[in-house]
Amino acid sequence: MTKAGKPAKKAQYTPRLNDEGDPVLELRAPMPNGSVMIQRYPKTRAKALRIDHLTTHSIFNPITDFRDQQLHEPTPEVCFKDVSKATAPNLIHAADAAVFAEMVDGYEGSYSLIHDSIGCSPGAQRNELIQRFQQSYEKVTTFDYLNGILDENNIDRQHNPVPAFGTFKPADSKGSAYMVC
């Protein structure tokens, strides 16, 4: 409530500005291998999209089925609802990719990499990849993501302290016979 007894307006987001003075509408999250995940979720404005000009010879009935479709154009505002829903999964996917990028960086052997699976020849190549995976996995699981996000986005740590939690000890998984421990 304001001093006059009226409901207070919602605080407006003020985006940080780039070197040219334009608003930056993104969240940057550094990864342990040096890459940076950039997440952008602008609010969109719906605009009618009329497709009456499509042929009537389609099996999908485009004139009737898709007549009132919407075209969504980005606006210079951030959609906080979308950012809050997408940040954790995007961070996990970026960390997943960082594990494999770190693992195969500089690797001389043959391998096939498909999404979150890797294939290689048995024997020495397999053993080297397992060792590389365990080292990369340790880096990813011990990386300080939250403070990295604060620093990358020029957010003051004093006003936005990161909670301390977790009991993972990387030494517990070193030398494990399992791929993930």
Side-chain angles (χ1 to χ4, degrees), residues 125-156:
Q125 279 192 353
R126 176 188 162 275
N127 293 339
E128 183 183 352
L129 279 175
I130 288 174
Q131 184 180 23
R132 285 171 156 269
F133 174 81
Q134 288 174 336
Q135 291 167 350
S136 178
Y137 188 72
E138 181 180 334
K139 258 187 176 178
V140 167
T141 54
T142 57
F143 188 72
D144 190 0
Y145 292 96
L146 298 178
N147 280 317
I149 290 169
L150 293 178
D151 295 344
E152 187 72 27
N153 294 285
N154 299 321
I155 299 170
D156 185 3

Side-chain angles (χ1 to χ4, degrees), residues 113-131:
L113 187 61
I114 302 169
H115 187 57
D116 59 357
S117 301
I118 193 161
C120 68
S121 301
Q125 279 192 353
R126 176 188 162 275
N127 293 339
E128 183 183 352
L129 279 175
I130 288 174
Q131 184 180 23

Side-chain angles (χ1 to χ4, degrees), residues 12-86:
Q12 293 294 313
Y13 170 72
T14 305
R16 64 187 173 91
L17 304 176
N18 64 15
D19 295 335
E20 290 82 40
D22 297 324
V24 178
L25 305 174
E26 64 187 22
L27 176 71
R28 300 175 65 84
M31 293 291 116
N33 68 338
S35 63
V36 177
M37 176 198 82
I38 299 174
Q39 177 176 290
R40 295 181 180 102
Y41 282 96
K43 282 188 180 176
T44 58
R45 178 178 42 242
K47 181 177 168 182
L49 175 65
R50 298 297 300 226
I51 56 172
D52 292 338
H53 64 281
L54 291 178
T55 178
T56 56
H57 300 291
S58 170
I59 61 170
F60 299 111
N61 291 327
I63 291 177
T64 57
D65 291 350
F66 301 103
R67 171 165 276 162
D68 297 315
Q69 291 296 311
Q70 300 285 313
L71 176 66
H72 292 272
E73 296 178 322
T75 66
E77 299 175 49
V78 173
C79 182
F80 291 103
K81 181 179 172 187
D82 288 349
V83 170
S84 66
K85 288 190 305 185

